[in-house]
Amino acid sequence: MGGETHDRKPATMQDIASRLGLSRTTVSLVLNDQPARIAEATKELIRQTAKELNYRPSVVARELRLQTSSLVGFVGDAIATGPFGGGLIAGAQSAITGTDQVLLL
């Protein structure tokens, strides 16, 4: 409705780099707050363009780069059919509340 498109892919670092005529590496260094010899004016331009394009960091890419995961797996063969399943799941969710983790059942 109203000409809105909800299926548009989020902007990537490459989109920002292409728009500004910079390398993806330069954009990455700035957006990941890595030390680099990049002019403050260029850093500000990158940040502003990222904001204009509604850039959001890729959680998957970050986790691959850092070799970490925010997923907490919960595996069992009788959780759904056992009498304590709901309590077990609620306890697991409670344990990760306030963290950046996601419970995967």
Side-chain angles (χ1 to χ4, degrees):
M1 292 182 158
E4 294 178 35
T5 56
H6 296 286
D7 58 346
R8 219 171 90 202
K9 293 192 324 189
T12 64
M13 287 186 190
Q14 185 60 55
D15 295 331
I16 297 165
S18 295
R19 176 173 282 196
L20 297 175
L22 299 170
S23 72
R24 191 198 144 309
T25 300
T26 299
V27 172
S28 176
L29 289 169
V30 172
L31 295 180
N32 288 310
D33 294 319
Q34 297 294 313
R37 295 174 61 181
I38 300 169
E40 281 303 318
T42 301
K43 289 179 182 180
E44 185 53 38
L45 186 59
I46 290 170
R47 291 182 190 115
Q48 183 59 39
T49 302
K51 186 176 180 179
E52 288 172 9
L53 293 177
N54 199 27
Y55 167 78
R56 296 290 177 256
S58 167
V59 174
V60 173
R62 180 180 183 275
E63 289 180 351
L64 285 172
R65 186 178 76 248
L66 298 176
Q67 296 183 345
T68 64
S69 174
S70 60
L71 293 176
V72 175
F74 191 140
V75 180
D77 63 345
I79 292 174
T81 59
F84 307 109
L88 289 169
I89 294 168
Q93 284 184 305
S94 178
I96 65 168
T97 297
T99 70
D100 289 332
Q101 296 175 316
V102 175
L103 183 62
L104 178 65
L105 300 174

